[in-house]
Amino acid sequence: MGITDMIAGFIQEALDDAGGVLEMQRGDLAQRFGCVPSQINYVMSTRFSPEHGYIVESRRGGGGYIRITRVHVDRQTLMMHVINSIGSEIDPASARAILSNLVQSEAIPAQTGKLLVSLLSDTALRSVPKDQRSVLRADLLKQALIHLV
Protein backbone atom coordinates (compact mmCIF):
# COMPACT_ATOMS: atom_id res chain seq x y z
CA MET A 1 0.00 0.00 0.00
CA GLY A 2 1.42 3.38 -1.03
CA ILE A 3 1.58 6.47 1.13
CA THR A 4 -1.32 8.07 -0.76
CA ASP A 5 -3.54 5.09 0.09
CA MET A 6 -2.41 5.17 3.73
CA ILE A 7 -3.16 8.88 4.06
CA ALA A 8 -6.54 8.53 2.35
CA GLY A 9 -7.43 5.53 4.54
CA PHE A 10 -6.47 7.41 7.71
CA ILE A 11 -8.53 10.44 6.71
CA GLN A 12 -11.50 8.26 5.71
CA GLU A 13 -11.43 6.46 9.06
CA ALA A 14 -11.13 9.76 10.95
CA LEU A 15 -14.04 11.16 8.92
CA ASP A 16 -16.17 8.14 9.80
CA ASP A 17 -15.30 8.53 13.49
CA ALA A 18 -16.07 12.27 13.35
CA GLY A 19 -19.49 11.78 11.79
CA GLY A 20 -18.68 13.18 8.36
CA VAL A 21 -16.94 16.48 9.21
CA LEU A 22 -13.24 16.57 10.01
CA GLU A 23 -10.86 19.43 10.67
CA MET A 24 -7.10 18.84 10.80
CA GLN A 25 -3.75 20.54 10.40
CA ARG A 26 -2.01 19.82 7.08
CA GLY A 27 1.41 20.02 8.74
CA ASP A 28 0.45 17.59 11.52
CA LEU A 29 -0.83 15.10 8.98
CA ALA A 30 2.31 15.43 6.85
CA GLN A 31 4.48 14.93 9.94
CA ARG A 32 2.47 11.86 10.98
CA PHE A 33 3.11 10.19 7.61
CA GLY A 34 6.62 11.57 7.09
CA CYS A 35 5.77 13.34 3.86
CA VAL A 36 5.65 16.87 2.51
CA PRO A 37 2.44 18.93 2.83
CA SER A 38 2.03 18.87 -0.95
CA GLN A 39 1.44 15.10 -0.68
CA ILE A 40 -1.52 15.89 1.59
CA ASN A 41 -2.77 18.39 -1.01
CA TYR A 42 -2.54 15.65 -3.66
CA VAL A 43 -4.61 13.26 -1.55
CA MET A 44 -7.20 15.98 -0.94
CA SER A 45 -7.55 16.83 -4.62
CA THR A 46 -7.65 13.23 -5.88
CA ARG A 47 -9.50 11.34 -3.15
CA PHE A 48 -11.68 13.92 -1.44
CA SER A 49 -13.05 15.94 -4.35
CA PRO A 50 -16.68 16.94 -4.96
CA GLU A 51 -16.85 14.12 -7.52
CA HIS A 52 -16.18 11.74 -4.64
CA GLY A 53 -18.79 13.39 -2.42
CA TYR A 54 -16.62 15.72 -0.33
CA ILE A 55 -16.19 19.43 0.17
CA VAL A 56 -12.68 20.46 1.19
CA GLU A 57 -12.00 23.88 2.69
CA SER A 58 -8.42 24.90 3.25
CA ARG A 59 -6.70 27.76 5.02
CA ARG A 60 -2.95 28.06 4.64
CA GLY A 61 -0.46 29.60 7.02
CA GLY A 62 0.62 29.02 10.61
CA GLY A 63 -2.89 28.35 11.91
CA GLY A 64 -3.99 26.75 8.67
CA TYR A 65 -6.31 23.80 8.57
CA ILE A 66 -8.16 21.48 6.24
CA ARG A 67 -11.87 20.89 6.80
CA ILE A 68 -13.41 17.94 4.98
CA THR A 69 -17.15 17.50 4.86
CA ARG A 70 -18.84 14.44 3.40
CA VAL A 71 -21.85 15.45 1.35
CA HIS A 72 -24.42 13.36 -0.37
CA VAL A 73 -25.50 14.79 -3.67
CA ASP A 74 -27.86 13.29 -6.15
CA ARG A 75 -26.55 11.98 -9.45
CA GLN A 76 -27.77 14.96 -11.47
CA THR A 77 -26.10 17.49 -9.16
CA LEU A 78 -22.85 15.52 -9.29
CA MET A 79 -22.95 15.30 -13.08
CA MET A 80 -23.64 19.02 -13.46
CA HIS A 81 -20.80 19.86 -11.08
CA VAL A 82 -18.41 17.71 -13.13
CA ILE A 83 -19.59 19.24 -16.42
CA ASN A 84 -19.12 22.75 -15.01
CA SER A 85 -15.66 21.88 -13.71
CA ILE A 86 -14.34 20.84 -17.12
CA GLY A 87 -12.48 23.75 -18.64
CA SER A 88 -12.08 24.64 -22.29
CA GLU A 89 -9.35 22.00 -22.68
CA ILE A 90 -8.67 18.60 -21.12
CA ASP A 91 -5.87 16.10 -21.57
CA PRO A 92 -6.51 12.34 -21.89
CA ALA A 93 -5.31 11.54 -18.34
CA SER A 94 -7.65 14.11 -16.76
CA ALA A 95 -10.60 12.90 -18.84
CA ARG A 96 -9.80 9.32 -17.79
CA ALA A 97 -9.64 10.38 -14.10
CA ILE A 98 -12.99 12.19 -14.28
CA LEU A 99 -14.65 9.22 -15.94
CA SER A 100 -13.10 6.81 -13.44
CA ASN A 101 -14.43 8.90 -10.55
CA LEU A 102 -17.90 8.95 -12.12
CA VAL A 103 -17.84 5.18 -12.52
CA GLN A 104 -16.64 4.70 -8.92
CA SER A 105 -19.42 6.93 -7.62
CA GLU A 106 -21.88 4.96 -9.80
CA ALA A 107 -22.97 8.10 -11.64
CA ILE A 108 -22.29 6.37 -14.97
CA PRO A 109 -22.06 2.68 -15.86
CA ALA A 110 -18.57 1.14 -16.19
CA GLN A 111 -19.18 0.29 -19.87
CA THR A 112 -20.06 3.89 -20.64
CA GLY A 113 -16.92 5.09 -18.86
CA LYS A 114 -14.72 2.69 -20.84
CA LEU A 115 -16.36 3.71 -24.10
CA LEU A 116 -15.86 7.41 -23.41
CA VAL A 117 -12.22 6.92 -22.39
CA SER A 118 -11.65 5.17 -25.70
CA LEU A 119 -13.47 7.82 -27.73
CA LEU A 120 -11.54 10.65 -26.06
CA SER A 121 -8.10 9.07 -26.47
CA ASP A 122 -5.36 10.55 -28.65
CA THR A 123 -5.65 7.41 -30.78
CA ALA A 124 -9.30 8.09 -31.54
CA LEU A 125 -8.55 11.76 -32.21
CA ARG A 126 -5.43 11.13 -34.31
CA SER A 127 -6.92 12.83 -37.41
CA VAL A 128 -7.29 16.05 -35.39
CA PRO A 129 -4.18 18.26 -35.16
CA LYS A 130 -2.45 17.73 -31.78
CA ASP A 131 -2.85 21.36 -30.74
CA GLN A 132 -6.64 21.09 -31.13
CA ARG A 133 -7.28 17.72 -29.46
CA SER A 134 -7.59 19.00 -25.89
CA VAL A 135 -10.24 21.55 -26.88
CA LEU A 136 -12.22 19.00 -28.89
CA ARG A 137 -11.86 16.42 -26.10
CA ALA A 138 -13.30 18.88 -23.54
CA ASP A 139 -16.25 19.71 -25.81
CA LEU A 140 -16.95 16.05 -26.51
CA LEU A 141 -16.75 15.07 -22.85
CA LYS A 142 -19.10 17.87 -21.79
CA GLN A 143 -21.62 16.95 -24.47
CA ALA A 144 -21.49 13.25 -23.61
CA LEU A 145 -22.03 13.97 -19.91
CA ILE A 146 -24.85 16.41 -20.65
CA HIS A 147 -26.51 13.67 -22.67
CA LEU A 148 -26.12 11.26 -19.72
CA VAL A 149 -27.73 13.66 -17.23
Side-chain angles (χ1 to χ4, degrees):
M1 177 185 296
I3 191 162
T4 300
D5 293 329
M6 290 183 347
I7 295 167
F10 174 82
I11 293 171
Q12 186 63 55
E13 189 174 309
L15 251 173
D16 292 343
D17 292 345
V21 179
L22 178 66
E23 199 169 292
M24 64 183 69
Q25 300 288 120
R26 180 184 288 108
D28 292 346
L29 199 54
Q31 186 175 13
R32 178 184 188 96
F33 287 97
C35 65
V36 294
S38 62
Q39 183 75 36
I40 305 303
N41 293 343
Y42 174 78
V43 172
M44 292 295 118
S45 64
T46 60
R47 305 288 180 93
F48 296 94
S49 64
E51 293 84 14
H52 285 106
Y54 300 93
I55 294 173
V56 177
E57 301 170 65
S58 178
R59 178 174 300 173
R60 296 183 186 267
Y65 65 88
I66 299 170
R67 181 181 298 131
I68 306 167
T69 307
R70 184 181 303 129
V71 293
H72 298 284
V73 296
D74 60 67
R75 180 183 173 278
Q76 184 173 356
T77 302
L78 171 62
M79 294 288 284
M80 291 311 297
H81 173 76
V82 171
I83 291 164
N84 290 329
S85 72
I86 298 169
S88 59
E89 298 182 32
I90 192 166
D91 60 84
S94 298
R96 199 170 33 253
I98 287 171
L99 291 166
S100 175
N101 289 342
L102 289 172
V103 168
Q104 284 180 335
S105 65
E106 298 180 354
I108 64 171
Q111 260 327 90
T112 302
K114 288 178 185 177
L115 176 64
L116 289 173
V117 165
S118 177
L119 292 173
L120 298 172
S121 70
D122 275 337
T123 303
L125 299 176
R126 70 181 167 268
S127 64
V128 177
K130 284 188 179 189
D131 64 330
Q132 296 175 11
R133 290 179 189 171
S134 293
V135 173
L136 178 60
R137 185 179 294 111
D139 290 343
L140 291 170
L141 180 55
K142 288 177 198 175
Q143 287 303 307
L145 295 178
I146 287 169
H147 176 75
L148 292 170
V149 172

